Amino acid sequence: MDALILEPSLYTVKAVLILDNDGERLFAKYYDDTYPTVKEQKAFEKNIFNKTHRTDSEIALLEGLTVVYKSNIDLYFYVIGSSHENELMLMAVLNCLFDSLSQMLRVILESDPQQVVHRVALRGDDVPLTEQTMSQVLQSAKEQIKWSLLR
């Protein structure tokens, strides 16, 4: 068993969950068969929510799994790994998920109409790389490759 724990693996994350204020599933992706049926998954999600929604900590050990979580207003974000998993690695995944969603939804959640107009009205050449869509980035890369080959 110890050799299995020390083996490096790409299967660090067992599940990613986003639950609403009532503990209902908004998004759930399970990467193994720890909970093979939807009924078992929803029971597990309800158990996690009941144990974590009133606490201020960021980590829990539950049902033999390491759970890192973060809440924002009425959403709860969870990243689940095995009990032997590095909590810092799981927290890095959680922070990446949380920050990525925050960045992607920033235009939608912006309350200043001038800011929304400014962000939406930018041309592809004026938009910083971090705010471009994937298709804009790919199109820009294609154009740069095309021009470098034509030289």
Side-chain angles (χ1 to χ4, degrees):
M1 182 71 180
D2 289 333
L4 180 65
I5 294 169
L6 299 176
E7 288 290 320
S9 172
L10 294 176
Y11 301 103
T12 299
V13 176
K14 289 187 171 283
V16 174
L17 308 171
I18 301 175
L19 305 179
D20 69 5
N21 204 16
D22 299 321
E24 296 297 320
R25 175 192 288 192
L26 297 176
F27 173 81
K29 177 66 176 167
Y30 289 83
Y31 297 100
D32 68 358
D33 291 331
T34 304
Y35 299 98
T37 67
V38 174
K39 182 178 179 182
E40 290 174 326
Q41 291 173 0
K42 289 201 173 198
F44 174 68
E45 292 162 15
K46 194 57 114 173
N47 188 19
I48 283 180
F49 180 76
N50 289 335
K51 302 274 185 188
T52 60
H53 79 282
R54 290 194 177 116
T55 63
D56 290 333
S57 64
E58 297 177 333
I59 187 168
L61 292 172
L62 191 65
E63 297 183 21
L65 299 170
T66 302
V67 179
V68 294
Y69 57 96
K70 183 182 279 199
S71 65
N72 184 11
I73 303 173
D74 60 352
L75 294 177
Y76 293 85
F77 297 83
Y78 298 90
V79 173
I80 295 125
S82 74
S83 60
H84 306 293
E85 201 55 63
N86 184 337
E87 296 87 1
L88 294 175
M89 186 69 80
L90 295 174
M91 189 58 79
V93 172
L94 176 64
N95 287 333
C96 180
L97 170 70
F98 186 84
D99 293 343
S100 297
L101 286 174
S102 296
Q103 287 290 329
M104 289 189 318
L105 297 174
R106 185 170 46 168
V107 171
I108 297 170
L109 300 176
E110 182 66 57
S111 61
D112 180 17
Q114 292 298 325
Q115 286 291 334
V116 172
V117 168
H118 176 70
R119 287 179 188 267
V120 173
L122 291 174
R123 295 260 182 225
D125 296 338
D126 300 336
V127 179
L129 185 61
T130 58
E131 293 186 16
Q132 290 184 10
T133 65
M134 186 57 111
S135 62
Q136 289 172 322
V137 171
L138 289 174
Q139 184 62 33
S140 175
K142 285 179 186 177
E143 288 176 15
Q144 289 178 4
I145 292 171
K146 179 177 74 174
W147 284 111
S148 67
L149 292 174
L150 291 176
R151 286 186 189 170

